[in-house]
Amino acid sequence: MSGVRTWQVIALLSVVSFGVTALEIPRTDWFTLAAFSLASGVTAFSMMAAAAVLGARWTFIESLFGGLDRVYLTHKWLGVWALVFASVHLAFKAGMSGWEVAPVVTLAPGATRLVRQLSYIAVMLIVLLALNRHIPYHRWRWWHKLSGPLFLIVILHQLSIKSPIALASPAGVWLALVALLGVGAAFYKLFLYRWMARHAEYRVVDLEPGPGAVRVRLAPLDRPLPFEAGQFGFLRLKQEGLREPHPFTIATAGRADGQVEFLIRNLGDYTRRLIAEIWVGMVAEIYAPYGRFTRASSARREVWIGGGVGISPFVAWLRDENCACDKVTLFYCYTPERAFPDPELLANMARERGAEFVAVTDSAVLNEQLAEIAREAGPEAVAISFCGPKGLLAQVRKHMQRAQIPPDNLRYEHFEFR
């Protein structure tokens, strides 16, 4: 899957930030700790602004990265690296004798130092909230909304500290530009996204419970959302305690009646409550479509590997009436006592589409079958599509290496957003 990579974004922001900073100080001071500290502060600021832009879920940004899962991965690492650079900036003095320094905005005595300390705390809070998976989802989501207001503290620090960076200088223009983009994106996500993002109202029309899971089918109340098999949407149920939009893969291809299905497994506090409290007739909003997880239909041999609820996009692909699946092998990796949907149901769906189906409860089976497919078709001809937990993805990569299937032949969607 092509698109902008995380390392490219981090490298670009770092190079530009260090470059424009170098223009503001004497050449003889470029390789000093003071210069490194100042440039690190500019870089941390730029990365925080970029993270806010990526968090807005704008469609053109998703297209650049090749999927919203890639956007969120980069969003997370921007926060981590922003904290790293902010720590360097805090550890070393960002100034030297001989530099012409002045604040853009003058604060009351003592306030400048306080804002400086608060800005570092703000960066730490943003990153810790983003990475801490032990915070219940409903609390994490609301706390994470503080990222925008906390970024304003960082902006105030940048404006109030004595610095060689003037507002009209290249570095000043760069900081002003990324600040405006970051604040604009944070404002949009906090106040406008709910109304301006593409979404529609649906009603729950059918439920099929399973072991620790549920299949939810919804019908549109008005115009349905357009989407392709394998994409996902943010489901927001209009029920107290379930109003937080949560991402789920859409497990249907485009139906004429506009109905959509989600396969939802108990993987946390939110999904546990959803499975327990959802009922037929409940109204929901779906924000969609997102995702760029598409088939490698031009490949001579396709392998689909779904782990647990990660089977959802492949269910949608099988339900696509235009699916040419005679060159497809679907591997369903599951724990027997938690199998949902039922492997026999998937086997029948695959058979109807002309695809081969392999139920996997032991990784050795996947290893053997994948090696056999590679021998028959040739390693270069095998294209693998994967959706599932990180641990299973690591195993798939090992199996590919043993079968001499090129790493670039693997396409996958990041399974977790947090």
Side-chain angles (χ1 to χ4, degrees), residues 224-262:
L225 292 168
F227 61 90
E228 297 178 5
Q231 291 186 308
F232 65 88
F234 287 81
L235 179 65
R236 177 180 179 269
L237 293 164
K238 294 189 174 182
Q239 177 78 10
E240 192 63 36
L242 298 174
R243 296 182 185 275
E244 300 93 352
H246 205 84
F248 299 105
T249 300
I250 298 171
T252 47
R255 293 173 44 139
D257 58 7
Q259 293 188 2
V260 298
E261 288 185 7
F262 295 102

mmCIF file of all heavy atoms in Angstrom, residues 224-262:
data_model
loop_
_atom_site.group_PDB
_atom_site.id
_atom_site.type_symbol
_atom_site.label_atom_id
_atom_site.label_comp_id
_atom_site.label_asym_id
_atom_site.label_seq_id
_atom_site.Cartn_x
_atom_site.Cartn_y
_atom_site.Cartn_z
ATOM 1 N N PRO A 224 -28.178 6.519 2.062
ATOM 2 C CA PRO A 224 -27.072 5.736 2.626
ATOM 3 C C PRO A 224 -25.716 6.299 2.237
ATOM 4 O O PRO A 224 -25.594 7.042 1.261
ATOM 5 C CB PRO A 224 -27.285 4.348 1.997
ATOM 6 C CG PRO A 224 -27.967 4.637 0.688
ATOM 7 C CD PRO A 224 -28.860 5.823 0.960
ATOM 8 N N LEU A 225 -24.718 5.943 2.993
ATOM 9 C CA LEU A 225 -23.356 6.356 2.694
ATOM 10 C C LEU A 225 -22.750 5.451 1.629
ATOM 11 O O LEU A 225 -22.964 4.238 1.647
ATOM 12 C CB LEU A 225 -22.487 6.284 3.954
ATOM 13 C CG LEU A 225 -22.798 7.285 5.060
ATOM 14 C CD1 LEU A 225 -22.062 6.890 6.328
ATOM 15 C CD2 LEU A 225 -22.399 8.691 4.640
ATOM 16 N N PRO A 226 -21.983 6.014 0.697
ATOM 17 C CA PRO A 226 -21.281 5.169 -0.274
ATOM 18 C C PRO A 226 -19.996 4.620 0.338
ATOM 19 O O PRO A 226 -19.296 5.330 1.054
ATOM 20 C CB PRO A 226 -20.963 6.142 -1.416
ATOM 21 C CG PRO A 226 -20.807 7.461 -0.732
ATOM 22 C CD PRO A 226 -21.760 7.453 0.440
ATOM 23 N N PHE A 227 -19.700 3.383 0.078
ATOM 24 C CA PHE A 227 -18.452 2.816 0.576
ATOM 25 C C PHE A 227 -18.096 1.593 -0.272
ATOM 26 O O PHE A 227 -18.931 1.043 -0.990
ATOM 27 C CB PHE A 227 -18.566 2.415 2.049
ATOM 28 C CG PHE A 227 -19.607 1.361 2.324
ATOM 29 C CD1 PHE A 227 -19.274 0.018 2.283
ATOM 30 C CD2 PHE A 227 -20.907 1.725 2.613
ATOM 31 C CE1 PHE A 227 -20.234 -0.949 2.526
ATOM 32 C CE2 PHE A 227 -21.871 0.755 2.862
ATOM 33 C CZ PHE A 227 -21.538 -0.582 2.818
ATOM 34 N N GLU A 228 -16.836 1.197 -0.171
ATOM 35 C CA GLU A 228 -16.352 0.011 -0.866
ATOM 36 C C GLU A 228 -16.058 -1.085 0.145
ATOM 37 O O GLU A 228 -15.805 -0.814 1.320
ATOM 38 C CB GLU A 228 -15.080 0.342 -1.657
ATOM 39 C CG GLU A 228 -15.297 1.370 -2.754
ATOM 40 C CD GLU A 228 -14.003 1.701 -3.481
ATOM 41 O OE1 GLU A 228 -12.976 1.057 -3.185
ATOM 42 O OE2 GLU A 228 -14.029 2.601 -4.338
ATOM 43 N N ALA A 229 -16.098 -2.316 -0.330
ATOM 44 C CA ALA A 229 -15.822 -3.453 0.538
ATOM 45 C C ALA A 229 -14.446 -3.297 1.176
ATOM 46 O O ALA A 229 -13.465 -3.001 0.496
ATOM 47 C CB ALA A 229 -15.885 -4.753 -0.262
ATOM 48 N N GLY A 230 -14.374 -3.474 2.503
ATOM 49 C CA GLY A 230 -13.107 -3.376 3.209
ATOM 50 C C GLY A 230 -12.906 -2.055 3.917
ATOM 51 O O GLY A 230 -11.966 -1.926 4.710
ATOM 52 N N GLN A 231 -13.750 -1.060 3.653
ATOM 53 C CA GLN A 231 -13.606 0.223 4.342
ATOM 54 C C GLN A 231 -14.248 0.142 5.733
ATOM 55 O O GLN A 231 -14.921 -0.833 6.065
ATOM 56 C CB GLN A 231 -14.241 1.339 3.519
ATOM 57 C CG GLN A 231 -13.476 1.647 2.239
ATOM 58 C CD GLN A 231 -14.041 2.842 1.505
ATOM 59 O OE1 GLN A 231 -15.232 2.920 1.230
ATOM 60 N NE2 GLN A 231 -13.175 3.796 1.185
ATOM 61 N N PHE A 232 -14.021 1.177 6.544
ATOM 62 C CA PHE A 232 -14.600 1.173 7.884
ATOM 63 C C PHE A 232 -15.255 2.511 8.172
ATOM 64 O O PHE A 232 -15.080 3.499 7.440
ATOM 65 C CB PHE A 232 -13.548 0.846 8.954
ATOM 66 C CG PHE A 232 -12.455 1.869 9.105
ATOM 67 C CD1 PHE A 232 -12.595 2.945 9.960
ATOM 68 C CD2 PHE A 232 -11.270 1.744 8.386
ATOM 69 C CE1 PHE A 232 -11.581 3.880 10.109
ATOM 70 C CE2 PHE A 232 -10.249 2.675 8.523
ATOM 71 C CZ PHE A 232 -10.407 3.740 9.386
ATOM 72 N N GLY A 233 -16.037 2.534 9.237
ATOM 73 C CA GLY A 233 -16.721 3.750 9.639
ATOM 74 C C GLY A 233 -16.684 3.905 11.148
ATOM 75 O O GLY A 233 -16.427 2.945 11.890
ATOM 76 N N PHE A 234 -16.946 5.115 11.605
ATOM 77 C CA PHE A 234 -17.029 5.395 13.040
ATOM 78 C C PHE A 234 -18.500 5.317 13.436
ATOM 79 O O PHE A 234 -19.329 6.102 12.965
ATOM 80 C CB PHE A 234 -16.449 6.764 13.357
ATOM 81 C CG PHE A 234 -14.956 6.819 13.260
ATOM 82 C CD1 PHE A 234 -14.331 6.965 12.034
ATOM 83 C CD2 PHE A 234 -14.165 6.705 14.403
ATOM 84 C CE1 PHE A 234 -12.947 7.006 11.937
ATOM 85 C CE2 PHE A 234 -12.781 6.753 14.311
ATOM 86 C CZ PHE A 234 -12.172 6.899 13.074
ATOM 87 N N LEU A 235 -18.823 4.357 14.284
ATOM 88 C CA LEU A 235 -20.202 4.119 14.719
ATOM 89 C C LEU A 235 -20.463 4.879 16.014
ATOM 90 O O LEU A 235 -19.721 4.736 16.992
ATOM 91 C CB LEU A 235 -20.415 2.620 14.930
ATOM 92 C CG LEU A 235 -21.800 2.182 15.420
ATOM 93 C CD1 LEU A 235 -22.864 2.486 14.364
ATOM 94 C CD2 LEU A 235 -21.795 0.692 15.764
ATOM 95 N N ARG A 236 -21.515 5.689 15.988
ATOM 96 C CA ARG A 236 -21.903 6.463 17.170
ATOM 97 C C ARG A 236 -23.364 6.169 17.480
ATOM 98 O O ARG A 236 -24.260 6.611 16.768
ATOM 99 C CB ARG A 236 -21.700 7.953 16.917
ATOM 100 C CG ARG A 236 -22.139 8.855 18.077
ATOM 101 C CD ARG A 236 -21.915 10.321 17.750
ATOM 102 N NE ARG A 236 -22.342 11.176 18.831
ATOM 103 C CZ ARG A 236 -23.577 11.686 18.940
ATOM 104 N NH1 ARG A 236 -24.486 11.415 18.019
ATOM 105 N NH2 ARG A 236 -23.889 12.461 19.959
ATOM 106 N N LEU A 237 -23.609 5.385 18.518
ATOM 107 C CA LEU A 237 -24.967 5.028 18.897
ATOM 108 C C LEU A 237 -25.588 6.127 19.748
ATOM 109 O O LEU A 237 -24.935 6.675 20.642
ATOM 110 C CB LEU A 237 -24.963 3.714 19.675
ATOM 111 C CG LEU A 237 -24.553 2.483 18.848
ATOM 112 C CD1 LEU A 237 -24.190 1.334 19.759
ATOM 113 C CD2 LEU A 237 -25.673 2.088 17.907
ATOM 114 N N LYS A 238 -26.819 6.453 19.466
ATOM 115 C CA LYS A 238 -27.499 7.522 20.195
ATOM 116 C C LYS A 238 -28.131 6.966 21.463
ATOM 117 O O LYS A 238 -29.353 6.875 21.609
ATOM 118 C CB LYS A 238 -28.540 8.194 19.293
ATOM 119 C CG LYS A 238 -27.909 8.933 18.117
ATOM 120 C CD LYS A 238 -28.912 9.776 17.370
ATOM 121 C CE LYS A 238 -28.242 10.601 16.297
ATOM 122 N NZ LYS A 238 -29.187 11.482 15.583
ATOM 123 N N GLN A 239 -27.246 6.591 22.363
ATOM 124 C CA GLN A 239 -27.648 6.021 23.638
ATOM 125 C C GLN A 239 -26.635 6.477 24.675
ATOM 126 O O GLN A 239 -25.431 6.502 24.418
ATOM 127 C CB GLN A 239 -27.662 4.486 23.552
ATOM 128 C CG GLN A 239 -27.985 3.760 24.838
ATOM 129 C CD GLN A 239 -29.470 3.770 25.153
ATOM 130 O OE1 GLN A 239 -30.284 4.154 24.322
ATOM 131 N NE2 GLN A 239 -29.821 3.355 26.358
ATOM 132 N N GLU A 240 -27.103 6.857 25.846
ATOM 133 C CA GLU A 240 -26.204 7.330 26.895
ATOM 134 C C GLU A 240 -25.129 6.295 27.183
ATOM 135 O O GLU A 240 -25.413 5.123 27.399
ATOM 136 C CB GLU A 240 -27.011 7.615 28.168
ATOM 137 C CG GLU A 240 -26.237 8.374 29.227
ATOM 138 C CD GLU A 240 -25.826 9.766 28.743
ATOM 139 O OE1 GLU A 240 -26.613 10.396 28.012
ATOM 140 O OE2 GLU A 240 -24.710 10.192 29.111
ATOM 141 N N GLY A 241 -23.888 6.738 27.166
ATOM 142 C CA GLY A 241 -22.762 5.848 27.406
ATOM 143 C C GLY A 241 -22.186 5.225 26.156
ATOM 144 O O GLY A 241 -21.116 4.609 26.205
ATOM 145 N N LEU A 242 -22.887 5.367 25.010
ATOM 146 C CA LEU A 242 -22.421 4.764 23.760
ATOM 147 C C LEU A 242 -22.291 5.801 22.649
ATOM 148 O O LEU A 242 -22.248 5.455 21.470
ATOM 149 C CB LEU A 242 -23.383 3.651 23.314
ATOM 150 C CG LEU A 242 -23.533 2.456 24.262
ATOM 151 C CD1 LEU A 242 -24.628 1.517 23.757
ATOM 152 C CD2 LEU A 242 -22.216 1.704 24.399
ATOM 153 N N ARG A 243 -22.226 7.066 23.029
ATOM 154 C CA ARG A 243 -22.224 8.130 22.024
ATOM 155 C C ARG A 243 -20.839 8.400 21.431
ATOM 156 O O ARG A 243 -20.732 9.135 20.453
ATOM 157 C CB ARG A 243 -22.784 9.425 22.641
ATOM 158 C CG ARG A 243 -24.240 9.310 23.061
ATOM 159 C CD ARG A 243 -24.768 10.618 23.622
ATOM 160 N NE ARG A 243 -26.124 10.480 24.121
ATOM 161 C CZ ARG A 243 -27.215 10.585 23.377
ATOM 162 N NH1 ARG A 243 -27.098 10.854 22.092
ATOM 163 N NH2 ARG A 243 -28.417 10.442 23.908
ATOM 164 N N GLU A 244 -19.794 7.838 22.017
ATOM 165 C CA GLU A 244 -18.457 8.086 21.480
ATOM 166 C C GLU A 244 -18.289 7.357 20.150
ATOM 167 O O GLU A 244 -18.488 6.144 20.078
ATOM 168 C CB GLU A 244 -17.369 7.609 22.460
ATOM 169 C CG GLU A 244 -17.416 8.289 23.812
ATOM 170 C CD GLU A 244 -18.245 7.519 24.821
ATOM 171 O OE1 GLU A 244 -18.907 6.546 24.412
ATOM 172 O OE2 GLU A 244 -18.228 7.896 25.998
ATOM 173 N N PRO A 245 -17.922 8.058 19.068
ATOM 174 C CA PRO A 245 -17.693 7.375 17.789
ATOM 175 C C PRO A 245 -16.533 6.393 17.914
ATOM 176 O O PRO A 245 -15.468 6.734 18.430
ATOM 177 C CB PRO A 245 -17.340 8.520 16.835
ATOM 178 C CG PRO A 245 -17.876 9.756 17.493
ATOM 179 C CD PRO A 245 -17.757 9.516 18.956
ATOM 180 N N HIS A 246 -16.754 5.173 17.451
ATOM 181 C CA HIS A 246 -15.744 4.114 17.567
ATOM 182 C C HIS A 246 -15.580 3.457 16.203
ATOM 183 O O HIS A 246 -16.565 3.182 15.519
ATOM 184 C CB HIS A 246 -16.215 3.078 18.593
ATOM 185 C CG HIS A 246 -15.104 2.313 19.218
ATOM 186 N ND1 HIS A 246 -14.392 2.772 20.293
ATOM 187 C CD2 HIS A 246 -14.559 1.112 18.913
ATOM 188 C CE1 HIS A 246 -13.473 1.885 20.637
ATOM 189 N NE2 HIS A 246 -13.549 0.875 19.804
ATOM 190 N N PRO A 247 -14.332 3.192 15.763
ATOM 191 C CA PRO A 247 -14.129 2.647 14.414
ATOM 192 C C PRO A 247 -14.382 1.142 14.343
ATOM 193 O O PRO A 247 -13.892 0.375 15.174
ATOM 194 C CB PRO A 247 -12.649 2.957 14.141
ATOM 195 C CG PRO A 247 -12.009 2.976 15.491
ATOM 196 C CD PRO A 247 -13.050 3.499 16.439
ATOM 197 N N PHE A 248 -15.149 0.731 13.320
ATOM 198 C CA PHE A 248 -15.379 -0.681 13.033
ATOM 199 C C PHE A 248 -15.366 -0.889 11.522
ATOM 200 O O PHE A 248 -15.869 -0.056 10.766
ATOM 201 C CB PHE A 248 -16.730 -1.154 13.587
ATOM 202 C CG PHE A 248 -16.871 -1.042 15.077
ATOM 203 C CD1 PHE A 248 -17.649 -0.041 15.641
ATOM 204 C CD2 PHE A 248 -16.230 -1.935 15.918
ATOM 205 C CE1 PHE A 248 -17.787 0.070 17.010
ATOM 206 C CE2 PHE A 248 -16.354 -1.827 17.299
ATOM 207 C CZ PHE A 248 -17.136 -0.822 17.841
ATOM 208 N N THR A 249 -14.818 -2.032 11.109
ATOM 209 C CA THR A 249 -14.820 -2.358 9.686
ATOM 210 C C THR A 249 -16.218 -2.729 9.234
ATOM 211 O O THR A 249 -16.931 -3.469 9.923
ATOM 212 C CB THR A 249 -13.859 -3.530 9.402
ATOM 213 O OG1 THR A 249 -12.553 -3.151 9.803
ATOM 214 C CG2 THR A 249 -13.840 -3.871 7.922
ATOM 215 N N ILE A 250 -16.614 -2.230 8.086
ATOM 216 C CA ILE A 250 -17.927 -2.540 7.511
ATOM 217 C C ILE A 250 -17.840 -3.908 6.840
ATOM 218 O O ILE A 250 -17.045 -4.113 5.927
ATOM 219 C CB ILE A 250 -18.352 -1.461 6.504
ATOM 220 C CG1 ILE A 250 -18.473 -0.108 7.223
ATOM 221 C CG2 ILE A 250 -19.671 -1.829 5.837
ATOM 222 C CD1 ILE A 250 -18.674 1.068 6.299
ATOM 223 N N ALA A 251 -18.644 -4.859 7.319
ATOM 224 C CA ALA A 251 -18.549 -6.247 6.860
ATOM 225 C C ALA A 251 -19.559 -6.563 5.771
ATOM 226 O O ALA A 251 -20.064 -7.680 5.677
ATOM 227 C CB ALA A 251 -18.737 -7.196 8.042
ATOM 228 N N THR A 252 -19.867 -5.573 4.938
ATOM 229 C CA THR A 252 -20.755 -5.804 3.797
ATOM 230 C C THR A 252 -20.204 -5.080 2.590
ATOM 231 O O THR A 252 -19.523 -4.068 2.710
ATOM 232 C CB THR A 252 -22.178 -5.271 4.062
ATOM 233 O OG1 THR A 252 -22.090 -3.949 4.599
ATOM 234 C CG2 THR A 252 -22.944 -6.142 5.018
ATOM 235 N N ALA A 253 -20.505 -5.609 1.434
ATOM 236 C CA ALA A 253 -20.245 -4.874 0.202
ATOM 237 C C ALA A 253 -21.440 -3.960 -0.033
ATOM 238 O O ALA A 253 -22.434 -4.004 0.700
ATOM 239 C CB ALA A 253 -20.051 -5.844 -0.953
ATOM 240 N N GLY A 254 -21.365 -3.087 -1.054
ATOM 241 C CA GLY A 254 -22.449 -2.144 -1.288
ATOM 242 C C GLY A 254 -23.756 -2.838 -1.646
ATOM 243 O O GLY A 254 -23.882 -3.426 -2.714
ATOM 244 N N ARG A 255 -24.712 -2.794 -0.732
ATOM 245 C CA ARG A 255 -26.021 -3.421 -0.971
ATOM 246 C C ARG A 255 -26.973 -2.411 -1.583
ATOM 247 O O ARG A 255 -26.877 -1.209 -1.344
ATOM 248 C CB ARG A 255 -26.609 -3.937 0.352
ATOM 249 C CG ARG A 255 -25.827 -5.079 0.957
ATOM 250 C CD ARG A 255 -26.332 -5.444 2.343
ATOM 251 N NE ARG A 255 -27.787 -5.510 2.441
ATOM 252 C CZ ARG A 255 -28.439 -6.445 3.115
ATOM 253 N NH1 ARG A 255 -27.764 -7.409 3.738
ATOM 254 N NH2 ARG A 255 -29.744 -6.431 3.198
ATOM 255 N N ALA A 256 -27.923 -2.905 -2.354
ATOM 256 C CA ALA A 256 -28.881 -2.030 -3.017
ATOM 257 C C ALA A 256 -29.748 -1.279 -2.010
ATOM 258 O O ALA A 256 -30.157 -0.138 -2.253
ATOM 259 C CB ALA A 256 -29.762 -2.842 -3.964
ATOM 260 N N ASP A 257 -30.029 -1.907 -0.855
ATOM 261 C CA ASP A 257 -30.870 -1.261 0.154
ATOM 262 C C ASP A 257 -30.070 -0.358 1.092
ATOM 263 O O ASP A 257 -30.641 0.278 1.982
ATOM 264 C CB ASP A 257 -31.639 -2.313 0.967
ATOM 265 C CG ASP A 257 -30.721 -3.313 1.673
ATOM 266 O OD1 ASP A 257 -29.480 -3.109 1.646
ATOM 267 O OD2 ASP A 257 -31.235 -4.297 2.233
ATOM 268 N N GLY A 258 -28.749 -0.283 0.903
ATOM 269 C CA GLY A 258 -27.921 0.604 1.704
ATOM 270 C C GLY A 258 -27.601 0.106 3.097
ATOM 271 O O GLY A 258 -26.966 0.826 3.879
ATOM 272 N N GLN A 259 -28.038 -1.109 3.446
ATOM 273 C CA GLN A 259 -27.776 -1.623 4.785
ATOM 274 C C GLN A 259 -26.296 -1.967 4.950
ATOM 275 O O GLN A 259 -25.617 -2.338 3.993
ATOM 276 C CB GLN A 259 -28.640 -2.856 5.062
ATOM 277 C CG GLN A 259 -30.124 -2.542 5.144
ATOM 278 C CD GLN A 259 -30.952 -3.723 5.610
ATOM 279 O OE1 GLN A 259 -30.416 -4.798 5.908
ATOM 280 N NE2 GLN A 259 -32.267 -3.547 5.700
ATOM 281 N N VAL A 260 -25.818 -1.833 6.186
ATOM 282 C CA VAL A 260 -24.428 -2.144 6.507
ATOM 283 C C VAL A 260 -24.384 -3.070 7.717
ATOM 284 O O VAL A 260 -25.322 -3.102 8.520
ATOM 285 C CB VAL A 260 -23.596 -0.879 6.799
ATOM 286 C CG1 VAL A 260 -23.537 0.019 5.590
ATOM 287 C CG2 VAL A 260 -24.148 -0.128 7.995
ATOM 288 N N GLU A 261 -23.288 -3.814 7.828
ATOM 289 C CA GLU A 261 -23.100 -4.710 8.955
ATOM 290 C C GLU A 261 -21.740 -4.453 9.592
ATOM 291 O O GLU A 261 -20.773 -4.126 8.909
ATOM 292 C CB GLU A 261 -23.187 -6.176 8.521
ATOM 293 C CG GLU A 261 -24.588 -6.633 8.166
ATOM 294 C CD GLU A 261 -24.637 -8.127 7.864
ATOM 295 O OE1 GLU A 261 -23.597 -8.817 8.069
ATOM 296 O OE2 GLU A 261 -25.698 -8.609 7.432
ATOM 297 N N PHE A 262 -21.694 -4.620 10.910
ATOM 298 C CA PHE A 262 -20.443 -4.568 11.664
ATOM 299 C C PHE A 262 -20.321 -5.846 12.479
ATOM 300 O O PHE A 262 -21.314 -6.303 13.076
ATOM 301 C CB PHE A 262 -20.414 -3.366 12.622
ATOM 302 C CG PHE A 262 -20.424 -2.028 11.955
ATOM 303 C CD1 PHE A 262 -21.592 -1.278 11.884
ATOM 304 C CD2 PHE A 262 -19.264 -1.501 11.411
ATOM 305 C CE1 PHE A 262 -21.606 -0.028 11.282
ATOM 306 C CE2 PHE A 262 -19.261 -0.254 10.810
ATOM 307 C CZ PHE A 262 -20.432 0.476 10.736
#
